[in-house]
Amino acid sequence: MELLYQYAWIIPVLPLVAAMIVGLGLISFNQVTNGLRQLNAVLIVFFLGTAMVLSIGLLVSQLQGHEPYRYMLEWASAGNFTLEMGFVIDHLSALMLVIVTSVAFLVMIYTDGYMAHDSGYVRFYAYLSLFASSMLGLVISPNLIQVYIFWELVGMCSYLLIGFWYDRKAAADACQKAFVTNRVGDFGLLLGILGLYWATNSFDFPVIGERLEQLVSSGAMSGAIASFLAILVFLGPVAKSAQFPLHVWLPDAMEGPTPISALIHAATMVAAGVFLIARLYPVFEPLPVVMNVIAWTGCTTAVLGATIALTQNDIKKGLAYSTISQLGYMVMAMGIGAYSAGLFHLMTHAFFKAMLFLCSGSVIHGMEAVVGHDPILAQDMRIMGGLRKYMPVTATCFLIGTLAICGIPPFAGFWSKDEILGLAFQANPALWAIGWLTAGLTAFYMFRMYFMTFEGSFRGNDQSLKNKVMDFYGLLTPAFGPGAMDVKELDHDTHHSHSPHESPIAMTLPLMVLAVPSVLIGLIGKPWANQFEAFIHAPGEAVEAIAEFDWSEFYVMAGSSIGIGLIGISIATLMYLQHKIDPAAIAEKFPTLYRLSLNKWYFDDIYDAIFVKGLRRLARQIMEVDYRVIDGAVNLTGLVTLVSGEGLKYLENGRAQFYALIVFAAVLGFVVVFSVV
């Protein structure tokens, strides 16, 4: 077993090697490599599968009580300054390794079916493998420098994958938006890292928190400065985990292929932010101001994402705003000191959200046979309906994921969300109230999505409805893009089916596998026998055994959580299944609130007006100043030099007496002038 720890660095290297092999093949022998599609896919899946097996071995070892393992070597040094690199295997990293590798493994299997006809099939697999490698490297990083390196690699891979269909304008804009928005957070993270090093003279996680607390307690550093540095670091997770106000990139990231949407939203990019908060928890915990900022940022994000998801018609964007809301719960949990509960929800959410996104991809795949490869028509829930009849496996898995995220027992989401709400009530009743209401909104919009997609009658053959949807988006012609198919298919009409179909086994098998943890994995976190908390708890804190479990408190908190969920489900049933309440009438009664939700609280419009258009205007003004003032001064200097040079050349006669006369006249002129003055 010790050998496994010594070679744990192989886990992120394996998918990296696979990505390099395929990438070099694409660069050097493009046609041959693309021709060996299945072979390349098998190679990448095999390497990641091996990494998954090793990760599971490390997790089992940690569960059995093996001591955390840390390996460091000198990377660079100059005088007293030394940079080290290495890896650390502890309870948190072992858990994250299993989450990342297992979800990525299933996503790659799913990809074979979803991207089967795409010309970029091999390239997509290479990107996926590189993405997984970057995330795995991040979770085993022992210090902030190494974290920052892999942090940026994760961002780069997300840029490549979100913009995978780069010839689709929406995808190109989305990847740019994700890149720029994350740079804002990353700049704050970099400043925070440098500031923490200035204060503590270390990049190591255990040392930073200990020394910073000592500096504050001794008075050597004010609490305000320490809080400022911690908030700068927190900006990194705010961007990566799509927290308010840097959340705007995540819904647009749905322009990428559905497999990467599942991976980003479940186990990689957005999880990286919550993971970093957990790693730096010893830095945040002693600073009450910072903890309050984290808690209220998460709370605001949770309710913001939920209120926007209420009116979304695109199935993937509805799930995207759901992710934003659930990430808000995790961040809020960290802010109130519920370290274990936040990471518990991260784990449960990874499995059921990956399943929900893969289900959405299965729906899109089935709808394309009817409506074609226009992403707007294939993803709009208004022209779906009745898909349970045609896609029973996908419908069942989507229902399981919906019940899990709504917090209905015994599904996984109930145990993690209920624990967060219970601890929030103890910490701050206001946070609990907002989180509790958000849970009701979650149940409503998730069952709205389920009913609109899988219940009722199929609406995909209604041409007038399709025209209405296109008019809603302001499009007169289909927004064709490469999609998960052969681009040549766009040259003629190939979709003759009048009904959707179930996806192939390569796509449905991962759904069925993910359904198992979506139902059962939450049971390890039962509050009366919380095995998860015994394994994952805040650094330096010991878990105390509960002498006697308070069942009455559990019944009250769990009952309120289930109750608000059932209320949301009931309202969704009356609106979208039984049609006893007209959603359009409610929208007409509250037009301001409806438009606010539909337009995503106008954040995109505000940011576009202030930052995009505003900065462009500023750039144009600076360019005018550069052109007229700076360039003008340079040009004027050149002109004066040219004219004076041309004039002086006629005074050149080669006689020293003449030059002496000119000097004498100049000196005499200066004497006269200064005498008068």
Side-chain angles (χ1 to χ4, degrees):
M1 186 60 68
E2 197 65 27
L3 193 65
L4 179 59
Y5 282 88
Q6 293 176 4
Y7 290 95
W9 56 269
I10 293 178
I11 294 174
V13 170
L14 282 171
L16 175 63
V17 170
M20 290 178 62
I21 293 172
V22 175
L24 289 172
L26 287 171
I27 295 172
S28 305
F29 312 99
N30 185 272
Q31 292 185 348
V32 175
T33 305
N34 279 309
L36 301 172
R37 296 162 62 91
Q38 294 294 330
L39 181 62
N40 284 290
V42 168
L43 173 70
I44 287 176
V45 173
F46 174 76
F47 274 60
L48 185 64
T50 305
M52 181 181 66
V53 172
L54 296 175
S55 300
I56 294 172
L58 288 172
L59 179 61
V60 171
S61 175
Q62 287 292 302
L63 287 168
Q64 293 174 346
H66 194 286
E67 290 293 321
Y69 185 88
R70 180 182 175 94
Y71 176 81
M72 302 296 294
L73 58 85
E74 187 177 289
W75 182 16
S77 64
N80 296 326
F81 177 77
T82 302
L83 282 179
E84 294 183 321
M85 65 180 298
F87 62 91
V88 60
I89 303 297
D90 55 8
H91 291 189
L92 178 58
S93 61
L95 176 68
M96 291 298 300
L97 285 174
V98 172
I99 293 174
V100 175
T101 53
S102 58
V103 173
F105 180 76
L106 293 171
V107 166
M108 286 186 179
I109 294 175
Y110 179 95
T111 297
D112 179 64
Y114 189 84
M115 302 289 288
H117 302 292
D118 195 282
S119 58
Y121 176 95
V122 178
R123 177 167 58 92
F124 188 73
Y125 264 105
Y127 288 171
L128 278 180
S129 190
L130 183 61
F131 196 21
S133 174
S134 301
M135 187 63 193
L136 292 171
L138 191 152
V139 300
I140 65 171
S141 296
N143 56 46
L144 276 173
I145 288 294
Q146 204 167 320
V147 160
Y148 189 77
I149 293 171
F150 286 106
W151 188 272
E152 294 299 329
L153 284 173
V154 168
M156 182 199 71
C157 293
S158 68
Y159 175 83
L160 295 173
L161 285 162
I162 295 170
F164 182 77
W165 294 321
Y166 53 84
D167 48 356
R168 183 187 295 172
K169 185 179 185 303
D173 292 341
C175 70
Q176 291 178 14
K177 188 175 184 179
F179 187 81
V180 172
T181 306
N182 276 275
R183 294 292 72 72
V184 175
D186 294 354
F187 182 64
L189 174 61
L190 179 60
L191 292 178
I193 290 173
L194 296 175
L196 288 176
Y197 180 81
W198 164 76
T200 64
N201 199 35
S202 178
F203 293 112
D204 294 336
F205 297 118
V207 179
I208 292 175
E210 181 181 345
R211 290 183 181 177
L212 193 66
E213 187 176 6
Q214 290 174 355
L215 289 170
V216 174
S217 60
S218 65
M221 176 182 286
S222 68
I225 295 176
S227 298
F228 177 70
L229 296 177
I231 290 173
L232 283 176
V233 172
F234 177 60
L235 284 177
V238 166
K240 272 290 190 291
S241 290
Q243 298 295 289
F244 169 83
L246 300 178
H247 64 283
V248 293
W249 69 270
L250 192 58
D252 289 8
M254 298 303 97
E255 294 296 336
T258 301
I260 192 54
S261 300
L263 197 55
I264 286 178
H265 286 251
T268 52
M269 192 165 174
V270 298
V274 180
F275 169 80
L276 186 59
I277 297 174
R279 273 291 187 226
L280 289 172
Y281 194 75
V283 174
F284 300 134
E285 187 181 22
L287 303 171
V289 173
V290 179
M291 294 294 281
N292 282 328
V293 169
I294 295 173
W296 282 104
T297 299
C299 181
T300 304
T301 305
V303 69
L304 179 68
T307 53
I308 297 176
L310 294 174
T311 57
Q312 295 301 306
N313 296 308
D314 186 301
I315 188 171
K316 287 179 66 177
K317 287 194 175 181
L319 291 174
Y321 282 106
S322 166
T323 299
I324 292 175
S325 183
Q326 297 305 306
L327 287 167
Y329 274 108
M330 302 172 204
V331 174
M332 182 180 70
M334 291 294 180
I336 61 175
Y339 179 94
S340 177
L343 291 173
F344 186 31
H345 197 54
L346 172 66
M347 180 186 69
T348 60
H349 177 265
F351 292 109
F352 64 69
K353 182 52 62 73
M355 181 177 63
L356 285 169
F357 264 107
L358 296 183
C359 284
S360 72
S362 179
V363 168
I364 295 167
H365 186 270
M367 287 292 296
E368 285 178 342
V370 181
V371 301
H373 297 289
D374 185 345
I376 292 180
L377 296 178
Q379 296 175 196
D380 199 293
M381 294 182 291
R382 289 172 292 184
I383 56 176
M384 296 179 183
L387 296 187
R388 180 167 58 88
K389 174 183 176 182
Y390 307 102
M391 310 176 70
V393 176
T394 302
T396 302
C397 292
F398 196 96
L399 179 60
I400 291 173
T402 300
L403 290 168
I405 197 173
C406 292
I408 304 300
F411 297 91
F414 164 73
W415 305 102
S416 56
K417 187 181 290 186
D418 183 69
E419 186 177 358
I420 292 175
L421 291 176
L423 294 171
F425 185 81
Q426 298 176 15
N428 189 331
L431 290 172
W432 169 84
I434 297 173
W436 180 74
L437 290 172
T438 302
L441 296 177
T442 302
F444 171 80
Y445 70 70
M446 285 304 304
F447 267 90
R448 170 183 178 265
M449 294 176 65
Y450 175 77
F451 292 144
M452 289 182 68
T453 304
F454 296 102
E455 300 296 337
S457 57
F458 182 62
R459 301 178 293 272
N461 294 311
D462 189 339
Q463 188 59 45
S464 63
L465 185 58
K466 287 190 278 188
N467 292 336
K468 185 178 178 180
V469 169
M470 297 301 291
D471 291 339
F472 176 81
Y473 289 100
L475 298 172
L476 301 176
T477 58
F480 283 145
M485 47 82 189
D486 190 341
V487 180
K488 296 179 180 178
E489 294 179 17
L490 296 177
D491 298 333
H492 53 278
D493 188 10
T494 59
H495 34 87
H496 304 290
S497 179
H498 291 281
S499 61
H501 56 79
E502 185 63 273
S503 299
I505 187 65
M507 294 174 65
T508 55
L509 180 61
L511 303 183
M512 292 184 284
V513 173
L514 286 167
V516 176
S518 298
V519 176
L520 301 176
I521 202 168
L523 296 175
I524 67 174
K526 302 185 300 296
W528 59 87
N530 199 329
Q531 296 171 305
F532 185 88
E533 187 175 6
F535 181 67
I536 300 290
H537 49 83
E541 296 182 5
V543 179
E544 298 180 0
I546 302 175
E548 184 177 355
F549 183 71
D550 190 348
W551 285 99
S552 60
E553 181 183 349
F554 171 73
Y555 288 142
V556 171
M557 298 307 300
S560 64
S561 177
I562 297 170
I564 192 66
L566 292 176
I567 291 173
I569 294 171
S570 300
I571 296 173
T573 302
L574 293 173
M575 281 188 180
Y576 297 98
L577 184 62
Q578 300 178 356
H579 303 288
K580 294 183 178 181
I581 301 176
D582 185 10
I586 297 176
E588 292 178 0
K589 190 174 182 179
F590 304 99
T592 303
L593 293 177
Y594 174 72
R595 287 196 297 270
L596 191 65
S597 173
L598 188 65
N599 292 286
K600 311 164 191 175
W601 287 59
Y602 297 100
F603 276 107
D604 285 330
D605 301 303
I606 295 170
Y607 287 0
D608 183 70
I610 296 175
F611 297 110
V612 179
K613 294 179 180 177
L615 289 175
R616 285 177 178 173
R617 285 195 296 268
L618 180 62
R620 285 195 293 269
Q621 292 172 358
I622 292 174
M623 185 179 67
E624 286 294 320
V625 171
D626 177 72
Y627 177 73
R628 298 184 182 278
V629 178
I630 299 176
D631 288 353
V634 173
N635 293 335
L636 179 62
T637 303
L639 180 63
V640 171
T641 304
L642 177 65
V643 172
S644 60
E646 287 291 328
L648 288 173
K649 75 178 183 180
Y650 294 104
L651 301 177
E652 300 282 344
N653 55 17
R655 297 177 63 181
Q657 298 92 328
F658 183 74
Y659 298 149
L661 179 63
I662 293 175
V663 173
F664 175 76
V667 172
L668 182 62
F670 276 114
V671 171
V672 172
V673 170
F674 282 106
S675 299
V676 174
V677 175

